[in-house]
Amino acid sequence: MFLIERLIGVGVYCCVLAAVYLLLAASPMKCKTALGFYILVLSGMAVVYVPYRTADLYRIFKMMELYAPLDFAAFFARYALASSAPAGPILYWLFAKTGCPRLLPAAVTILCYSIIFYMLLRLQKKFGISRRNLALVLFFLMSTSVYMSVIAGIRMMLAMTLVMFCFFRESVEEKFRWFHVLLYSVALFIHILAGVLLLVRLLAVVCSKRSRPLARWGAAGLGAVATALFAVCFPKLTIDILDTVWTYLTEETYSDPWEYLIGVLMGLLFLAVLRRFRRSARKAVCERLETFRSAAAISLLLSLCCCYVFSIFYRLIGHFVPLLMLPVMMAALQEEEETGMNGKLSLHSVVLLYSCVILMLNCARGSLSALKFFVLG
C-alpha cells in the first residue's frame, strides 16, 4: 500500500541524511550550520508528512479539530482534566487555535532536534570529538525510529528530550538551574513515560561510581519525597498513571516482529559500545560520562526485563537508550581513533555497519517505511 509514495518518502529522507553526513564528515562547513540546515529540512518534512489513519498523528489531528472551536475553559474542563498527561492536550489546543495543525509536528521537530544537536555539539567541543565521529553518531541516531516518533508521536519524544536536556546539563556540563525542575514537571505532565525516565535518572546517580555516598542517599530520598508529594497533590492523576502502567504490563495487544529485530540489533550494538567504553584509557572522559553510562545500562537492562511488553521495549531500546548512548558512543569512537585499531575490526566499522542495516530495515519494514509526503489518486 502506498508503495510509490513511501519509496519517495524514505528516498528523500535517506538522501538528505547522506548529504548531511558528508557535510559533517568531509566539508569545511561549520557543524552548527550543517545541523541547523538539517533541522530546517526535518521540520519541512514534518509539515508535509501525510499520516495514515492508524498513525498517532492522524488521531492527534482529529482531536485538534475537536479542540479548535472551544475556548480554553471549556476545553480544559472537558479534555485536559480527564487526561493522565494534561500538558499534551493543552499543547494540541494551542496549535489547533493557530488554524494550521501541521505546525505542531514541525515545532516539535525543531525543539527536539535542537536539544539533541545541542548535546552533540557540546560533546564535540568538550571532548574533542572529530567531525568524522560526529557524523557517524548522527547517522546512527537518524537510522533509528526516533524521527518518526518525533513527528508522529509528539508527546513521548517531547517529554523524553526535555528530560535528556536536563540530565545532560546536570551530569555532563555540571550545571543545575531552577528551570530544570520546571522542565521535569512539564515532561511528567506531557507523557507518563517521563516518570520512568526520571526514575532511571535517579537510579543512575545511585549506581554511578562517580557519585558520592551523600549524593546517592540524596537522590534516593529526593525520589521518594517527590513521588509522595506528587501522589498527595495529584491523587486522581496518580491513579490514572498507575492504571495506564498496569494496562501496558498486562494487556499488551500490539507487537511488531521487525521492530523487535531492530531492537535486538541495537541492543547488541549498545553492548559492544559499552564494553569498548569501559576499556577506554581516557579516564577523565569516562568519569564525566559515568552517570550517562549507568543510565544507558539501566535502561538497556530494563528494556530486556520488559521485552515481553512491546510498547515498553520499543520505547526504551528504540528511543531512550539511543539518546543516552550518544555521549558514550562519541567518546568510545574518539578514543579508538586516537589510539588506533591494532588490526582488529574497528568500532567505527561496527557502528557504521549496524547503522546501515538498521536504516535499511527501518525503511523497508520499520517505522520509517510509513514516511510519505503525498498520496496518489
Side-chain angles (χ1 to χ4, degrees):
M1 187 181 294
F2 307 118
L3 179 60
I4 295 175
E5 296 93 322
R6 293 185 177 189
L7 284 174
I8 293 175
V10 298
V12 170
Y13 180 88
C14 291
C15 287
V16 173
L17 176 56
V20 174
Y21 177 86
L22 292 174
L23 285 175
L24 288 173
S27 82
M29 180 182 289
K30 290 183 178 180
C31 294
K32 187 175 182 179
T33 303
L35 293 176
F37 162 76
Y38 196 27
I39 289 175
L40 290 178
V41 176
L42 291 174
S43 61
M45 288 194 289
V47 170
V48 296
Y49 165 60
V50 180
Y52 188 57
R53 59 176 176 267
T54 57
D56 288 340
L57 187 60
Y58 184 87
R59 292 190 289 270
I60 291 171
F61 284 161
K62 290 298 181 182
M63 286 190 288
M64 293 172 74
E65 291 178 7
L66 295 176
Y67 298 164
L70 302 175
D71 60 37
F72 183 74
F75 152 78
F76 190 81
R78 187 179 305 178
Y79 295 106
L81 286 178
S83 174
S84 59
I90 292 173
L91 179 68
Y92 302 157
W93 178 83
L94 289 172
F95 278 91
K97 284 298 184 180
T98 66
C100 186
R102 290 186 176 274
L103 290 177
L104 173 64
V108 173
T109 299
I110 291 172
L111 178 58
C112 290
Y113 280 103
S114 293
I115 290 174
I116 294 170
F117 293 167
Y118 164 83
M119 293 192 298
L120 294 181
L121 291 172
R122 295 295 293 174
L123 287 164
Q124 183 194 28
K125 181 178 180 180
K126 184 175 289 291
F127 299 127
I129 308 298
S130 67
R131 294 178 65 110
R132 175 172 173 258
N133 289 329
L134 173 65
L136 178 58
V137 170
L138 176 73
F139 182 75
F140 158 73
L141 176 68
M142 301 309 295
S143 71
T144 67
S145 303
V146 169
Y147 179 66
M148 289 305 299
S149 293
V150 168
I151 67 172
I154 306 293
R155 293 188 305 123
M156 181 186 74
M157 286 308 304
L158 190 54
M160 198 174 286
T161 49
L162 290 177
V163 172
M164 282 295 302
F165 174 72
C166 299
F167 187 14
F168 178 82
R169 283 176 56 87
E170 292 160 8
S171 61
V172 178
E173 297 188 301
E174 298 182 333
K175 298 177 181 178
F176 176 79
R177 299 291 185 270
W178 64 268
F179 65 83
H180 290 188
V181 177
L182 176 61
L183 292 180
Y184 282 136
S185 301
V186 171
L188 278 171
F189 285 103
I190 289 177
H191 200 287
I192 63 169
L193 181 65
V196 178
L197 309 185
L198 288 176
L199 177 61
V200 170
R201 195 260 180 274
L202 291 173
L203 285 175
V205 176
V206 174
C207 298
S208 174
K209 298 177 182 178
R210 187 186 181 198
S211 301
R212 297 177 180 178
L214 182 60
R216 295 178 181 180
W217 284 105
L222 178 62
V225 171
T227 302
L229 285 175
F230 187 87
V232 170
C233 297
F234 306 99
K236 182 180 181 301
L237 193 56
T238 302
I239 293 173
D240 289 343
I241 290 173
L242 292 175
D243 286 343
T244 303
V245 171
W246 181 253
T247 300
Y248 273 131
L249 292 174
T250 61
E251 300 180 16
E252 182 72 63
T253 58
Y254 177 75
S255 180
D256 188 335
W258 290 99
E259 290 292 354
Y260 266 120
L261 174 60
I262 293 170
V264 169
L265 291 174
M266 292 174 68
L268 292 173
L269 176 59
F270 297 149
L271 289 174
V273 173
L274 287 170
R275 180 173 177 271
R276 185 67 183 84
F277 180 79
R278 290 187 64 183
R279 297 167 55 194
S280 174
R282 305 176 79 194
K283 300 302 181 185
V285 175
C286 290
E287 182 179 349
R288 181 65 69 88
L289 297 178
E290 174 59 27
T291 309
F292 249 84
R293 185 206 64 80
S294 297
I298 291 169
S299 300
L300 182 58
L301 179 61
L302 184 60
S303 67
L304 294 176
C305 292
C306 298
C307 64
Y308 67 96
V309 184
F310 173 75
S311 57
I312 296 177
F313 178 80
Y314 173 71
R315 285 169 169 81
L316 287 177
I317 205 165
H319 301 81
F320 193 49
V321 181
L323 292 179
L324 288 170
M325 287 297 298
L326 294 180
V328 179
M329 188 178 290
M330 290 179 78
L333 287 167
Q334 188 62 30
E335 198 270 345
E336 181 186 75
E337 185 175 290
E338 293 176 0
T339 58
M341 278 72 78
N342 299 320
K344 298 179 181 179
L345 182 63
S346 68
L347 181 64
H348 189 281
S349 299
V350 171
V351 173
L352 181 60
L353 175 62
Y354 267 82
S355 299
C356 290
V357 172
I358 290 169
L359 180 61
M360 287 189 292
L361 288 173
N362 242 327
C363 290
R365 302 292 294 181
S367 298
L368 281 172
S369 65
L371 185 63
K372 60 184 185 300
F373 308 126
F374 59 90
V375 175
L376 295 174

